[in-house]
Amino acid sequence: MLSGNQAQVEVQRLRDQIAQMQASTVEQIAEVQRKYEELQQQLRVEAAEREAATAAREAEAAAMAVEQSKKYDELQLRLQQMMQMF
């Protein structure tokens, strides 16, 4: 059997241990939340990079289409000129 003083010391030790566990748990939760936010940010950056790359490819494809259309028009004009010669 513990004396009154020993019981109080044991209760205080247990309270300290609980407080330590709570502090550790809070730190772990904060670390997990920080990592989660970092990953979220990384995903947003990667999504923005993919969107920019897609937009660049679309712009390049549109420019190529314009260039091909211009060349087609030039060939049509040459063909008409050649047909007029004959």
Side-chain angles (χ1 to χ4, degrees), residues 55-71:
R57 284 193 301 276
E58 289 173 352
E60 185 179 343
M64 287 176 65
V66 167
E67 184 65 26
Q68 288 177 350
S69 177
K70 184 179 175 182
K71 287 180 180 179

Side-chain angles (χ1 to χ4, degrees), residues 33-50:
Q33 186 171 2
R34 184 189 63 76
K35 287 181 180 180
Y36 172 78
E37 289 170 359
E38 284 178 7
L39 289 173
Q40 286 291 97
Q41 180 62 25
Q42 183 180 353
L43 288 173
R44 283 191 286 272
V45 167
E46 289 173 1
E49 288 172 351
R50 282 192 303 276

Side-chain angles (χ1 to χ4, degrees), residues 8-45:
Q8 286 179 341
V9 169
E10 181 65 13
V11 167
Q12 186 58 45
R13 186 187 70 75
L14 292 171
R15 285 182 178 158
D16 291 346
Q17 189 176 2
I18 289 170
Q20 222 174 16
M21 291 170 69
Q22 287 174 331
S24 176
T25 301
V26 167
E27 288 175 14
Q28 289 173 353
I29 290 170
E31 180 66 14
V32 167
Q33 186 171 2
R34 184 189 63 76
K35 287 181 180 180
Y36 172 78
E37 289 170 359
E38 284 178 7
L39 289 173
Q40 286 291 97
Q41 180 62 25
Q42 183 180 353
L43 288 173
R44 283 191 286 272
V45 167

